Amino acid sequence: QVQLVESGGGLVQPGGSLRLSCAASRSTFNINSMGWYRQAPGKQRELVAAISTGGSINYADSVKGRFTISTDNAKNTVYLQMNSLKPEDTAVYYCNANSRFSAYWGQGTQVTVSS
């Protein structure tokens, strides 16, 4: 079992930046990939960015060039650096980790982009 705890959400003006962090409760040695999803009100949850243990990275088209996913394996943590934020980035952001047999989710952190 892996518990994921997100932090770093908040209110930011358009054009601003935030960095989300997701700390896993134990070593992620059997985790194949980690990533970030988001869900806006009335919309389905969607992939934002994901990174595999092999280093392969995938971004949603809407965030390419603005968001960067990274990991610190020593801290069992995955980050999402979000720059040039737009009002349409407003959503609850969820951390995700996948092993061969299970998917784990964090509790979510709210990101609001508004002036």
Side-chain angles (χ1 to χ4, degrees):
Q1 190 73 296
V2 178
Q3 292 182 327
L4 303 174
V5 179
E6 301 110 333
S7 60
L11 173 64
V12 64
Q13 292 186 343
S17 297
L18 283 175
R19 189 175 82 153
L20 304 183
S21 300
C22 171
S25 60
R26 62 161 178 79
S27 171
T28 57
F29 74 93
N30 67 334
I31 296 297
N32 298 324
S33 67
M34 295 187 74
W36 293 92
Y37 286 71
R38 68 186 180 187
Q39 188 167 19
K43 295 187 177 181
Q44 290 186 330
R45 189 174 297 188
E46 63 176 0
L47 173 69
V48 177
I51 184 168
S52 71
T53 52
S56 177
I57 294 176
N58 185 34
Y59 292 104
D61 288 342
S62 59
V63 307
K64 284 181 180 177
R66 300 188 298 122
F67 291 11
T68 303
I69 188 170
S70 61
T71 58
D72 184 334
N73 293 329
K75 297 181 179 179
N76 301 325
T77 299
V78 61
Y79 303 97
L80 185 68
Q81 178 67 44
M82 305 186 294
N83 299 328
S84 302
L85 283 160
K86 304 176 181 180
E88 51 264 44
D89 294 318
T90 296
V92 178
Y93 284 69
Y94 297 91
C95 181
N96 163 260
N98 297 300
S99 68
R100 183 177 179 184
F101 299 110
S102 299
Y104 305 97
W105 294 92
Q107 80 284 356
T109 185
Q110 177 70 45
V111 172
T112 302
V113 185
S114 175
S115 55

